[in-house]
Amino acid sequence: MWRFNNFEAGQLIQLGKYQLTAEEMIEFASHYDPQPMHTDPEAATHSPMGELIASGWHTCAVGMRLMCDAFITGSSSVVAPGVDHIRWLAPVRPGDTLSGQCRIQETRLSRSKPDRGVVTAEVCLHRQDEIAVLRMNTTALYLV
């Protein structure tokens, strides 16, 4: 089980892989980001990307899934107060396989809750062609 003391600045945690399908992309976007470039393959051909692309929010959700699978599920994670500086760097298309890394930036004990530690990290996802598609900074609290 991952606890606060398992994290250290500079540590690199490899994330697994996740392949997106057109059906999944359309379903997600239909619920949460219903823009034609994400929900309608025909309309997407007239968009700046020229084809169906995943919602950036879907890409974030895939990143969360990969982090859960790699270390969060079953950890001593208590709460995550936020995500900062989300950047969608390149489009994600049907059939793309995403993978990535979580680099621990800083760890420190909580000032107000001595049984918890704060972990900040930079998460970067890339496609199978090594093109980065997402970069974001996360903060989470873990039991010591």
Side-chain angles (χ1 to χ4, degrees):
M1 174 192 334
W2 286 79
R3 297 182 72 83
F4 172 72
N5 294 331
N6 295 114
F7 298 99
E8 57 186 61
Q11 181 179 14
L12 186 66
I13 301 169
Q14 294 295 328
L15 305 177
K17 295 182 179 189
Y18 190 97
Q19 186 175 41
L20 286 97
T21 66
E23 294 78 22
E24 177 186 3
M25 290 166 49
I26 291 168
E27 181 179 354
F28 182 95
S30 294
H31 288 284
Y32 305 109
D33 190 0
Q35 299 180 68
M37 66 195 149
H38 304 316
T39 61
D40 183 341
E42 174 59 32
T45 63
H46 306 291
S47 73
M49 291 297 143
E51 62 186 315
L52 188 73
I53 60 170
S55 164
W57 298 112
H58 191 178
T59 306
C60 287
V62 169
M64 186 70 208
R65 176 59 196 239
L66 292 174
M67 289 187 294
C68 283
D69 290 349
F71 63 95
I72 295 174
T73 300
S75 75
S76 69
S77 176
V78 177
V79 67
V83 175
D84 297 312
H85 307 293
I86 296 171
R87 296 292 178 260
W88 295 297
L89 305 168
V92 174
R93 298 173 176 91
D96 279 347
T97 298
L98 304 184
S99 60
Q101 306 84 29
C102 178
R103 183 176 302 279
I104 306 304
Q105 301 294 312
E106 178 186 17
T107 63
R108 66 174 174 78
L109 290 174
S110 169
R111 292 180 194 96
S112 60
K113 304 217 185 251
D115 66 331
R116 299 171 190 188
V118 179
V119 177
T120 59
E122 179 185 66
V123 178
C124 185
L125 296 185
H126 55 270
R127 300 183 308 222
Q128 67 281 351
D129 60 4
E130 298 301 319
I131 300 293
V133 298
L134 172 71
R135 186 165 286 123
M136 63 183 175
N137 296 331
T138 64
T139 303
L141 278 73
Y142 291 82
L143 294 176
V144 175

